[in-house]
Amino acid sequence: MILVNVDDELVLRAIELQDSEKIFAIIDTSREYLREWLPWVDGTKNLKDSELFIEGCLKRIVENKGLTAVILYRNEIVGIAGFNEINWSNKTAYIGYWLDGAFQGMGIMSRVAKALTNYGLNQLGLNKIEIRAAVQNYKSRSIPERLSFKQEGIIRQAEWLYDHYVDLVVYGMLAEEWNK
């Protein structure tokens, strides 16, 4: 199921179990690159781990608690993005994303984050979208900054990254700000 046609090169499609081989292959060939900022990489050791991840994503979609999509660039899966968590009571969602290192620097994730923000605020009727990134992860932080998200604060030692804690910067975008 296509969620968002981002532009003529990019589509966000709901993740499917048959995506597991391609997703695992990307993770497996990009381990060193992905591991720098993503705490789950070492726990993804084989195809079954990717299948279990996708099953969890599908459960969250069915429960209406999250929305995970594959990023299709010119019809090829190059990463994952979506709402890691949707809080319907507060009408908020948290965008998470990762991209195959070979596709960095092409503006893909900025376009995807913009489309997800628009989708969440205007299609789902949410009030706020958040993006969180490690303080030192300047590439990831540049995405919400480029999209004019407001830096709302820093959560100290918010994430365990293999052998140390990292602080996370929280960025937020309100529907009233986005739609001006």
Side-chain angles (χ1 to χ4, degrees):
M1 169 178 73
I2 292 176
L3 298 174
V4 179
N5 282 310
V6 177
D7 56 34
D8 58 349
E9 294 183 313
L10 285 167
V11 172
L12 294 174
R13 174 182 53 75
I15 198 165
E16 300 172 353
L17 198 51
Q18 60 256 35
D19 298 326
S20 59
E21 286 185 29
K22 178 61 178 174
I23 290 168
F24 179 72
I26 293 170
I27 294 166
D28 207 35
T29 58
S30 302
R31 281 186 186 282
E32 186 176 326
Y33 160 75
L34 293 173
R35 191 178 190 277
E36 185 176 5
W37 298 113
L38 299 172
W40 49 262
V41 175
D42 285 1
T44 306
K45 298 178 179 121
N46 54 49
L47 180 60
K48 184 66 178 167
D49 293 327
S50 288
E51 290 170 350
L52 290 171
F53 164 74
I54 293 172
E55 288 170 0
C57 292
L58 294 173
K59 182 179 180 203
R60 293 189 65 71
I61 290 170
V62 167
E63 293 172 346
N64 210 19
K65 293 181 179 177
L67 184 57
T68 302
V70 292
I71 301 166
L72 297 169
Y73 175 72
R74 299 181 179 170
N75 297 314
E76 178 183 354
I77 295 174
V78 297
I80 290 180
F83 300 121
N84 290 345
E85 179 184 337
I86 301 173
N87 180 322
W88 291 104
S89 298
N90 293 316
K91 293 192 175 193
T92 60
Y94 308 93
I95 293 179
Y97 45 76
W98 62 265
L99 188 64
D100 183 331
F103 293 89
Q104 286 286 312
M106 300 168 65
I108 290 173
M109 202 53 77
S110 292
R111 291 183 280 167
V112 165
K114 181 179 181 180
L116 277 171
T117 301
N118 194 58
Y119 182 78
L121 298 175
N122 292 317
Q123 301 296 315
L124 299 180
L126 298 171
N127 181 58
K128 183 178 183 183
I129 303 292
E130 287 187 10
I131 296 176
R132 298 176 181 197
V135 169
Q136 301 297 320
N137 188 348
Y138 301 111
K139 286 182 182 179
S140 190
R141 288 181 58 189
S142 72
I143 293 165
E145 290 171 358
R146 193 174 295 121
L147 297 175
S148 300
F149 276 60
K150 304 279 189 263
Q151 182 175 328
E152 298 187 340
I154 295 175
I155 305 172
R156 298 177 306 142
Q157 296 187 2
E159 188 170 66
W160 179 252
L161 197 58
Y162 303 105
D163 62 354
H164 65 286
Y165 285 101
V166 293
D167 298 344
L168 296 181
V169 181
V170 178
Y171 294 92
M173 176 62 71
L174 301 176
E176 63 191 40
E177 297 166 339
W178 186 255
N179 292 316
K180 282 187 177 178

